Amino acid sequence: KIGRFAPQNLSNTSWAFGTIEWRDEPLFDSLAAASVLKMKDFSAQDRANTVWAFARLELKNEALLRAISAESLLRMGEHSRQHLTNISWAYGKLNVNDKALINALQSRSMETIDDAQPQDISSMAWTMARLTNNSPELLAHLSREALPRMRQFRSQELSNLSWGFAIVRACDHELFDAIAWQSIDTLPSFLILNLTNTLWAFAAVGFVHEPLISAISTACLKKSDDFYGQAISATAWSCAKLAVQ
């Protein structure tokens, strides 16, 4: 029956199962095969929802990814800011470094970034870092858009933004200072991963912000019973790099 689904039905089905995190590989193989055959009739929303669902479930279907990439490149102007964010995130999550697609998505993102929300900005930074696709122009755009919106950033967005810039070793002092103060204000909502990634980011770029380091150190001590191996090693490296006693 899946072979008779219309493009929107295929996309909606993928999205629905992705949203509830139902990882049925035979079902998704069938959805992928049917989607590839009808990709020319997929809208930008259909493509974004489909690839988002596969990435959410960590299902890397090469044929589907190639088809979505090819069609998205041909119709890049149709993508809204949310489409761009979802497609970029999906390829980053699946660690698929499709340079032609990612470069086109970044260029289009810079055209639509004026109304970007914190989640969009942090997701773009995270994707760029994940695929090591360093674009100084995009970094500058992201920083410019993030700074006046910094009070709107939440823990995950702050962590992803700092981590993204740190991975490509882009130490924007004004941005990191703003991230530090907003992180201090929102620290009670930080999970262990947010704490360790944020501390690691500041250590990686060599930006010593003592109030933030102190606040994260205190928060880490309070959550010490919940720490796991990777978090312990990352925190230890960061503290050594930042010369924290």
Side-chain angles (χ1 to χ4, degrees):
K1 292 184 178 180
I2 285 177
R4 298 199 295 271
F5 279 21
Q8 188 173 3
N9 300 137
L10 290 166
S11 172
N12 287 349
T13 302
S14 298
W15 179 86
F17 278 86
T19 298
I20 63 174
E21 299 187 66
W22 189 280
R23 199 177 193 272
D24 185 326
E25 292 192 36
L27 171 64
F28 273 85
D29 285 343
S30 297
L31 287 167
S35 297
V36 168
L37 292 175
K38 299 181 180 181
M39 190 55 62
K40 292 186 183 299
D41 297 320
F42 271 51
S43 67
Q45 184 74 54
D46 295 334
R47 293 193 299 276
N49 282 354
T50 299
V51 75
W52 175 88
F54 275 74
R56 174 98 183 241
L57 298 173
E58 298 186 0
L59 293 170
K60 191 173 182 178
N61 187 291
E62 301 285 357
L64 178 68
L65 291 166
R66 286 195 299 271
I68 289 175
S69 174
E71 198 63 27
S72 296
L73 283 167
L74 287 173
R75 300 158 62 186
M76 188 58 62
E78 298 176 8
H79 296 89
S80 70
R81 173 178 41 77
Q82 190 61 55
H83 301 149
L84 297 166
T85 298
N86 286 354
I87 294 173
S88 297
W89 177 85
Y91 278 76
K93 178 70 172 177
L94 294 171
N95 201 26
V96 178
N97 197 355
D98 183 329
K99 288 190 179 295
L101 177 63
I102 298 304
N103 286 338
L105 290 169
Q106 288 182 349
S107 295
R108 176 66 178 155
S109 294
M110 286 188 281
E111 296 172 6
T112 63
I113 203 170
D114 289 346
D115 63 342
Q117 299 303 307
Q119 183 179 359
D120 302 316
I121 295 168
S122 64
S123 180
M124 282 185 239
W126 182 87
T127 300
M128 181 184 62
R130 176 90 172 170
L131 299 176
T132 60
N133 203 56
N134 190 356
S135 167
E137 187 179 3
L138 179 60
L139 285 168
H141 271 76
L142 293 176
S143 180
R144 267 198 307 274
E145 293 302 317
L147 283 166
R149 297 175 171 83
M150 191 56 65
R151 298 298 296 174
Q152 301 171 30
F153 277 69
R154 296 167 298 182
S155 56
Q156 186 67 48
E157 294 154 355
L158 292 162
S159 174
N160 284 351
L161 183 61
S162 58
W163 184 86
F165 271 69
I167 283 288
V168 296
R169 297 302 189 267
C171 186
D172 182 322
H173 286 257
E174 185 179 8
L175 178 66
F176 271 82
D177 188 63
I179 289 173
W181 291 116
Q182 180 64 5
S183 295
I184 290 170
D185 287 347
T186 58
L187 212 57
S189 66
F190 273 51
L191 302 176
I192 289 173
L193 184 62
N194 303 141
L195 292 169
T196 57
N197 280 357
T198 302
L199 187 64
W200 178 89
F202 277 74
V205 298
F207 190 92
V208 179
H209 190 284
E210 292 185 1
L212 176 66
I213 295 169
S214 176
I216 288 181
S217 297
T218 300
C220 286
L221 288 172
K222 290 179 180 178
K223 298 176 184 284
S224 59
D225 290 343
D226 298 326
F227 265 64
Y228 49 92
Q230 186 178 353
I232 293 170
S233 61
T235 303
W237 180 89
S238 301
C239 289
K241 185 76 172 175
L242 293 166
V244 176
Q245 299 298 319

